[in-house]
Amino acid sequence: MNTDQFQSMLNEKEITLSPQQVNQFQRYYELLVEWNNKMNLTAITEKEEVYLKHFYDSITAALYLDFSKPLHICDVGAGAGFPSIPLKICFPYIEVSIVDSLNKRITFLETLAGQLELNGTHFYHDRAETFGKKSEHRERYDLVTARAVARMSVLSELCLPLVKEDGLFVAMKAANASEELTASQKAIQVLGGKVEETHSFTLPFEESERNIITIRKVKPTPNKYPRKPGTPNKLPLE
């Protein structure tokens, strides 16, 4: 996906980028490649692949969710900023908080936000398990997202405690999403969620499978969750 195709395909979805936003994506790409030489941010560095598999793929969340109002989003385990930073570039009025366990990635994201002049961005060096216990973050976010960082039962325990009641947890997954979702039914219910929709589609050009799973927070998460760091992964609620 070259930059013209990127803009054209977003235009078709009624997401129109200004010259400033086009420049922000270009600078994002440059900084990603520059920092990737110093630390492991991504295995994908070819420009057309970054625009397709990172930028466009991140923005697909907005094809199925309403980003027309100023949401406060928390991105768990965002790595190099996906999906929340591409969404922030497209929708500057949303507020974005990112939590990641690796301080070097947080340093990259802080530099990125400064270079791109992204106001309303917050970065936290923390484990999701401890972050979700903190009163200033627990059940405070309109939308909590994670992009393929763990299986659904684990992600649910890391993300649902952060979602405010009637807010959404949105998991962006590749293949095998339906099997993961079936295995995570217990976790979702225990943690106060209810599956709302699953949107399945193929990424343009390479035709790989993508799934966006939306889970509504229907009741508070019990105080015992999330459990201590490492436990959700070792002993998932399944």
Side-chain angles (χ1 to χ4, degrees), residues 35-66:
W35 279 67
N36 204 56
N37 290 326
K38 299 181 281 186
M39 56 184 284
N40 182 28
L41 289 169
T42 177
I44 299 167
T45 55
E46 291 296 322
K47 187 170 186 177
E48 294 196 355
E49 293 221 330
V50 169
Y51 270 77
L52 174 64
K53 296 179 182 178
H54 284 328
F55 296 167
Y56 185 83
D57 190 29
S58 292
I59 298 163
T60 56
L63 309 184
Y64 302 99
L65 298 160
D66 182 9

Side-chain angles (χ1 to χ4, degrees), residues 3 21-30 47 51:
T3 55
Q21 290 166 313
V22 171
N23 289 337
Q24 284 174 315
F25 277 112
Q26 172 62 27
R27 188 66 185 129
Y28 193 170
Y29 170 70
E30 292 168 356
K47 187 170 186 177
Y51 270 77

Side-chain angles (χ1 to χ4, degrees), residues 132-140 161-162 221-223 225-226:
K133 290 281 194 183
K134 294 175 179 175
S135 59
E136 64 268 34
H137 299 293
R138 188 177 181 87
E139 300 189 328
R140 299 287 183 181
L162 296 165
T221 300
N223 289 333
Y225 301 108

